[in-house]
Amino acid sequence: MKASVSRAVLDVVLDVKQDSGFSASDVTLVRRLDETERPVNTFDPLESGRGEVTPELGDVVKPGAKGDVGLYAVAYPPAPADSVVNVTIEIRQNGRLVMRSPASVVPLDMNGAAPVLANLQAAKFKPGHYEAEVMFEYKGQRLMKNVEFTLAGGA
């Protein structure tokens, strides 16, 4: 029996943005947003000052009752956070930019996080496959998160 030895090289690339302490959740497609009468549960990342987010579990979305498609994400600046987070959203279909939002200022909540809930008017988009890119900026540090989805017909 012959023995053999092989050698492999594993390169580990550190993301400088993560090392800075600035991070963000994944972007979640929103199935619905329920308003709550009770105080916000600060330990639940799917609750914000605007209500409780129920995520869409699939990647095929149908517009909500108001004809919109919701996106939700949370940015986490390093503590102690002392500034707002700017957010820009780009929507691409087949790699082609079809929408870009102006930068929006997102204030920090009581925990120092910046929850983002965006509603896209589905009537402005044809049914098909899309990619949403959410760009966060905090004090010159930038992060980008994305989610792919298919907009169902009947929008």
Side-chain angles (χ1 to χ4, degrees), residues 14-119:
L14 296 177
D15 183 354
V16 176
K17 294 174 185 137
Q18 284 184 343
D19 291 344
S20 72
F22 183 39
S23 63
S25 70
D26 288 334
V27 179
T28 300
L29 297 166
V30 177
R31 172 169 277 204
R32 86 174 174 262
L33 178 69
D34 296 321
E35 293 182 20
T36 58
E37 301 272 332
R38 60 180 165 65
V40 173
N41 177 354
T42 58
F43 295 105
D44 185 348
L46 292 175
E47 281 194 32
S48 73
R50 293 177 60 187
E52 185 174 358
V53 172
T54 299
E56 179 65 57
L57 299 178
D59 62 351
V60 176
V61 295
K62 295 179 182 175
K66 297 179 183 176
D68 58 352
V69 174
L71 303 173
Y72 181 75
V74 181
Y76 299 98
D82 59 357
S83 184
V84 297
V85 173
N86 290 305
V87 176
T88 304
I89 298 173
E90 292 183 352
I91 306 296
R92 298 180 188 281
Q93 184 177 34
N94 300 321
R96 185 178 62 84
L97 182 67
V98 294
M99 189 218 78
R100 184 175 203 275
S101 73
S104 297
V105 174
V106 180
L108 304 179
D109 66 13
M110 64 196 321
N111 292 323
V116 176
L117 180 62
N119 292 310

